[in-house]
């Protein structure tokens, strides 16, 4: 297990922060007028945290994502069901729960044969979960 962040299209960066099964996390991303982003990840279980300031000159700041994904090696461990709560964003001056944004959509993870690997639940204002289905 490990924590990481990614400022697409740059590669992911592993974070020096212990991660254990069952830990609860809070993540925030804040944009400053100077053009930088402050990314903060807090382990609510252990109270450890990581903060970095990054820039992305071409960032459009017109969308947000909450992602549950497998590692790049293609394996997907049985993670059961992972809840996401208090999922809100501020986009173009509008702050709201995730499902209240026009065009909010969930994406099901499938393999190349079309087998469902991970399935998101229905969005409920500011909460949803992702359930493991297949490795």
């Amino acid at each position: 297990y490990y924590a990481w962040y990614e400022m697409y299209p740059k590669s992911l960066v592993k974070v020096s922060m212990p991660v254990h099964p069952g830990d609860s996390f809070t993540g925030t991303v804040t944009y400053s007028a100077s053009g930088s982003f402050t990314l903060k990840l807090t382990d609510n279980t252990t109270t450890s945290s990581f903060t970095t300031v990054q820039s992305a000159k071409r960032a459009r700041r017109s969308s947000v994502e909450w992602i549950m994904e497998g590692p790049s090696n293609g394996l997907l461990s049985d993670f059961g069901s992972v809840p996401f709560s208090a999922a809100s964003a501020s986009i173009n001056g509008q702050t709201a729960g995730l499902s209240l944004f026009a065009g909010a959509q969930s994406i099901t993870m499938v393999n190349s044969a079309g087998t469902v690997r991970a399935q998101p639940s229905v969005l409920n204002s500011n909460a949803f979960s992702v359930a493991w289905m297949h490795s």
Side-chain angles (χ1 to χ4, degrees):
Y1 297 95
Y2 58 89
W4 56 274
Y5 70 88
E6 180 180 23
M7 293 291 292
Y8 184 82
K10 296 177 184 175
S11 297
L12 73 83
V13 177
K14 287 186 180 180
V15 173
S16 296
M17 182 176 167
V19 175
H20 305 96
D23 285 1
S24 166
F25 290 87
T26 298
T28 59
V29 178
T30 307
Y31 177 75
S32 73
S34 67
S36 64
F37 294 86
T38 301
L39 290 69
K40 183 174 183 182
L41 182 64
T42 302
D43 184 326
N44 303 317
T45 307
T46 66
T47 69
S48 64
S49 67
F50 170 83
T51 302
T52 185
V53 177
Q54 299 290 315
S55 62
K57 294 177 179 149
R58 294 184 175 172
R60 296 178 128 179
R61 298 177 301 140
S62 60
S63 66
V64 296
E65 298 176 348
W66 284 259
I67 301 172
M68 179 66 194
E69 66 183 8
S72 60
N73 67 10
L75 301 174
L76 187 63
S77 300
D78 182 349
F79 55 79
S81 180
V82 176
F84 289 76
S85 61
S88 66
S90 295
I91 301 174
N92 297 326
Q94 177 188 3
T95 299
L98 179 60
S99 69
L100 301 177
F101 285 99
Q105 59 183 304
S106 60
I107 299 172
T108 300
M109 181 190 297
V110 298
N111 65 16
S112 59
T115 302
V116 174
R117 298 179 74 196
Q119 179 71 51
S121 69
V122 173
L123 296 173
N124 178 7
S125 181
N126 66 353
F128 68 98
S129 62
V130 178
W132 180 88
M133 305 298 283
H134 193 273
S135 55

